[in-house]
């Protein structure tokens, strides 16, 4: 029987290993796509019945086809702003000396009243194994204000001229939830700003964080190009300011953003959302407001997460809480009662206990079915915390790449007993909790296959075991980056698995992650990425155009 072309599939991918991630973990051979959605999944012969004269047929030649990867917590907006800064990442600089040379070169090209912004340095990967100070920067650049932003985004360093422009003096008290770093020998400001000490720079006069909208969109387009090359088709961006929202809307209208973005608006703009009556899901399939975000404590990568017991390398340091329990409750109460999803950054055991207490109080006062309020990072757990997370219906979004990428720094700072319960994916899954993985990029590499590799192998970059008892299977890790990640944002019915009716957001991998040795997972190459049934990336070597 001849089927009219207008009813036939637009595209068919055949002869593949289709890892559907459906409830039965079905493995199929082919997928047909029509109007941006999955039409048929099954055996080659069955799916090919949907082909017509205009159907694009792609022979996968045994490659693996998966749902497009979803990074449940990826700072696209911050990374886009970083794109126009001076790259100080471990891939580019290996010492403070090299970093200062780069900063000095940039300063020569800019007017003297313009901030020089260095981004993504990592103290643990510098030869000196320390943060730079204002004196390091002053030796290289003293006639421009300079800010260096740590990869974890919870620490920054400013030179002496920058401190002066920001009005920070030796007598300026540290802000609540933040700290102005000081030299331990002299007590003088060393230029290092922790947590709210530099978060407060957003919106401040002479702020180094202001960026032109055109430069921002240049960064967005560049980052999206990198993401689709890694097989990422959707993200949650958990640090959205009004200027970001405006630019992203225009980018979507102009067709410049190939991925789907769920936005978490910073809580300081909650009242504006409430006055406008905006609820969870406001927007469209490419760009929508899902949650409101607040940060309770510091970071794991920056070793500022709020702990009960001190860090082993700093016996007087228990991390930083950015707000009180009372302040947190007021924020969560307002988000919860406004019809928006709650998104709270909490890493340390002390921070998590405060957060769980507040969630329990708010949900007792105002019960809500299937709220799916989130715990971003949810790092240092124990059996009691896991039980409470399940009972309260919370959604943990876990650092996936951290055991591998940051593990060599984390182990000596936290010690073996606490490391057993860091990023405790196995324990969460065993408790019946849906766990999503994320990169927190730029805090760790965005490559989902590195995140999957990390939670499966639970070894650091140097090969040290990182709580191997918390390892998950490859199938479970794939779910963390697909259907479970979709669940965190109420999207499991439209994406996250390869099933008829869902968005045709797909990734083709050179090798089958279920069959290669688990040590090879991070090295698997992406051959093709499809969003809305359209090819947005194709490796010219791995996948010749057909």
């Amino acid at each position: 029987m001849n089927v009219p072309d207008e009813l036939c599939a637009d595209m068919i991918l055949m002869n593949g290993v289709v890892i559907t991630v459906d409830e039965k973990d079905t493995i199929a051979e082919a997928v047909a796509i029509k109007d941006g959605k999955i039409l048929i999944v099954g055996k080659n012969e069955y799916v090919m019945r949907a082909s017509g004269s205009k159907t694009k047929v792609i022979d996968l030649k045994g490659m693996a086809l998966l749902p497009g990867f979803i990074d449940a917590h990826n700072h696209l907006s911050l990374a886009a702003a970083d794109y126009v800064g001076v790259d100080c990442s471990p891939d580019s600089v290996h010492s403070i000396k090299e970093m200062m040379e780069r900063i000095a070169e940039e300063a020569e090209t800019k007017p003297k009243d313009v901030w020089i912004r260095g981004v993504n340095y990592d103290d643990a990967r510098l030869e000196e194994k320390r943060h730079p100070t204002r004196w390091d920067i002053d030796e290289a650049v003293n006639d421009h204000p300079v800010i260096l932003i740590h990869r974890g985004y919870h620490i920054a360093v400013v030179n002496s001229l920058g401190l002066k422009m920001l009005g920070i003096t030796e007598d300026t008290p540290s802000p609540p939830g933040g700290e102005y770093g000081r030299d331990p020998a002299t007590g003088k400001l060393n230029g290092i700003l922790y947590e709210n000490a530099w978060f407060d720079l957003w919106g401040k006069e002479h702020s180094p964080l202001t960026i032109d909208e055109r430069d921002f969109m240049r960064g967005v387009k560049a980052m999206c190009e990198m993401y689709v090359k890694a097989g990422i088709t959707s993200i949650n961006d958990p640090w959205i300011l009004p200027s970001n929202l405006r630019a992203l809307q225009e980018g979507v209208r102009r067709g410049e953003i190939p991925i789907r973005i769920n936005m978490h608006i910073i809580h300081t703009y909650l009242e504006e959302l409430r006055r406008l009556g905006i609820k969870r899901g406001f927007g469209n399939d490419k760009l929508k407001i899902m949650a409101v975000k607040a940060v309770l404590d510091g970071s794991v990568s920056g070793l500022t997460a709020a702990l009960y017991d001190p860090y082993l390398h700093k016996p007087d340091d228990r991390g930083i809480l950015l707000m009180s329990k009372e302040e947190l409750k007021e924020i969560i109460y307002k988000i919860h009662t406004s019809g928006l999803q709650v998104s709270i950054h909490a890493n340390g055991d002390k921070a998590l206990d405060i957060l769980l207490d507040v969630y329990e109080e708010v949900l007792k006062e105002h019960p809500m079915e299937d709220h799916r309020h989130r715990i971003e990072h949810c790092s240092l757990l124990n059996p009691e915390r896991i039980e409470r997370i399940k009972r309260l219906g919370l959604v943990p979004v876990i650092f996936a790449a951290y055991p591998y990428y940051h593990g060599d720094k984390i182990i000596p700072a936290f010690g073996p007993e606490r490391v057993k319960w860091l990023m405790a994916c196995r324990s969460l899954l065993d408790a019946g909790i849906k766990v999503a993985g994320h990169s927190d990029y730029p805090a760790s590499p965005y490559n989902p296959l590195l995140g999957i590799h990390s939670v499966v192998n639970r070894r650091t970059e140097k090969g040290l075991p990182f709580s191997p008892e918390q390892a998950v299977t490859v199938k479970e890790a794939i779910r963390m980056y697909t259907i479970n990640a979709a669940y965190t944002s109420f999207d499991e019915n439209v994406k996250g698995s390869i099933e008829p009716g869902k968005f045709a957001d797909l990734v083709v991998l050179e090798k089958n992650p279920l069959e290669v040795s688990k040590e090879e997972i991070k090295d698997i190459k992406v051959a093709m990425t499809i969003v809305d049934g359209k090819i947005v990336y194709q490796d010219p070597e791995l996948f010749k155009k057909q």
Side-chain angles (χ1 to χ4, degrees), residues 490-512:
F490 298 85
D491 286 330
E492 72 275 15
N493 292 322
V494 295
K495 61 185 177 182
S497 62
I498 302 177
E499 299 180 82
K502 289 194 172 185
F503 296 138
D505 297 352
L506 306 165
V507 58
V508 179
L509 302 181
E510 174 196 18
K511 297 179 181 178
N512 182 351

Side-chain angles (χ1 to χ4, degrees), residues 67-76 227 230-238 259-264 374 376-377 397-401 436-449 451 478-486 488-489 491 495:
F69 293 128
I70 302 170
D71 193 336
H73 183 117
N74 177 305
H75 290 282
L76 168 63
Y227 290 173
I232 297 171
T233 57
S234 295
I235 65 166
N236 278 261
D237 187 338
I259 65 172
R260 304 183 195 278
I261 304 170
N262 289 336
M263 297 178 290
H264 299 203
R374 299 167 55 123
E376 308 298 324
H377 315 316
V397 183
I398 303 290
F399 290 122
H438 75 276
S439 67
D440 196 29
Y441 185 76
S444 74
Y446 56 80
N447 180 7
L449 287 163
I478 290 172
R479 284 183 168 273
M480 289 173 62
Y481 268 95
T482 54
I483 193 67
N484 287 8
T488 68
S489 295
D491 286 330
K495 61 185 177 182

Side-chain angles (χ1 to χ4, degrees), residues 308-373:
Y308 286 116
D309 297 318
Y311 290 93
L312 297 187
H313 68 305
K314 289 184 178 180
D316 295 326
D317 187 356
R318 290 177 168 81
I320 298 174
L321 284 170
L322 276 67
M323 63 181 69
S324 68
K325 179 181 176 181
E326 292 71 28
E327 291 170 315
L328 178 67
K329 184 173 181 179
E330 181 179 0
I331 292 168
I332 290 179
Y333 175 86
K334 287 182 177 180
I335 301 170
H336 175 71
T337 56
S338 298
L340 290 155
Q341 190 179 24
V342 183
S343 168
I344 306 295
H345 161 123
N347 274 305
D349 49 5
K350 184 175 182 179
L352 281 167
D353 283 348
I354 292 171
L355 177 57
L356 291 170
D357 286 347
V358 170
Y359 269 139
E360 187 146 22
E361 291 171 13
V362 170
L363 289 168
K364 184 177 180 180
E365 294 167 12
H366 293 272
M368 181 186 294
E369 292 291 328
D370 198 24
H371 51 78
R372 300 192 203 180
H373 294 330

Side-chain angles (χ1 to χ4, degrees), residues 189-259:
L189 291 172
N190 60 16
I192 303 176
L193 312 181
Y194 298 92
E195 305 300 340
N196 280 347
W198 93 278
F199 288 162
D200 288 350
L201 300 184
W202 263 281
K204 192 177 179 112
E205 188 177 2
H206 305 303
S207 172
L209 305 178
T210 302
I211 180 171
D212 180 81
E213 192 169 299
R214 287 170 297 180
D215 286 339
F216 174 77
M217 277 310 301
R218 188 157 57 91
V220 167
K221 288 187 280 187
M223 294 313 306
C224 285
E225 184 177 334
M226 293 162 60
Y227 290 173
V228 296
K229 286 182 179 180
I232 297 171
T233 57
S234 295
I235 65 166
N236 278 261
D237 187 338
W239 192 269
I240 296 289
L241 304 170
S243 58
N244 305 145
L245 178 55
R246 287 193 298 271
L248 291 172
Q249 287 181 90
E250 285 304 311
V252 168
R253 287 195 185 104
R254 293 194 295 262
E256 296 173 344
I257 299 177
I259 65 172

Side-chain angles (χ1 to χ4, degrees), residues 242 266-278:
I266 295 302
H267 75 90
T268 48
Y269 299 98
L270 173 58
E271 290 306 319
E272 284 87 340
L273 294 174
R274 283 162 60 90
R275 282 198 295 271
L276 289 168
I278 290 176

Side-chain angles (χ1 to χ4, degrees), residues 60-240:
L60 296 177
K61 298 179 180 178
M63 288 190 282
L65 180 66
L66 285 74
F69 293 128
I70 302 170
D71 193 336
H73 183 117
N74 177 305
H75 290 282
L76 168 63
S77 295
L78 297 182
D82 287 351
Y83 183 76
V84 297
V86 180
D87 183 9
C88 297
S89 69
D91 292 334
S92 300
V93 303
H94 304 94
S95 67
I96 291 174
K97 180 175 181 293
E98 286 183 19
M99 196 188 312
M100 295 308 113
E101 289 171 353
R102 282 192 164 232
I103 294 299
E105 289 172 5
E106 180 73 5
E108 291 178 1
T109 70
K110 294 288 194 294
K112 292 190 176 179
D113 61 343
V114 172
W115 279 90
I116 308 301
R117 176 174 169 149
V119 298
N120 290 332
Y121 85 87
D122 188 338
D123 57 306
R125 292 167 185 262
L126 294 171
E127 289 176 3
E128 296 85 352
K129 295 290 186 287
R130 66 172 176 85
H131 295 283
T133 66
R134 69 179 172 106
W135 300 295
D136 293 316
I137 308 173
D138 289 347
E139 285 186 17
V141 179
N142 58 22
D143 57 354
H144 288 71
V146 177
I147 186 168
L148 305 176
I149 301 172
H150 187 265
R151 181 158 205 170
Y153 245 86
H154 285 250
I155 299 170
V157 189
V158 177
N159 67 347
S160 297
L161 180 57
L163 290 174
K164 182 178 180 181
M165 287 184 64
L166 294 170
I168 301 170
T169 71
E170 295 291 345
D171 298 324
T172 305
S174 292
E179 182 181 338
Y180 297 128
R182 294 182 178 272
D183 181 85
T186 66
K188 298 284 187 182
L189 291 172
N190 60 16
I192 303 176
L193 312 181
Y194 298 92
E195 305 300 340
N196 280 347
W198 93 278
F199 288 162
D200 288 350
L201 300 184
W202 263 281
K204 192 177 179 112
E205 188 177 2
H206 305 303
S207 172
L209 305 178
T210 302
I211 180 171
D212 180 81
E213 192 169 299
R214 287 170 297 180
D215 286 339
F216 174 77
M217 277 310 301
R218 188 157 57 91
V220 167
K221 288 187 280 187
M223 294 313 306
C224 285
E225 184 177 334
M226 293 162 60
Y227 290 173
V228 296
K229 286 182 179 180
I232 297 171
T233 57
S234 295
I235 65 166
N236 278 261
D237 187 338
W239 192 269
I240 296 289

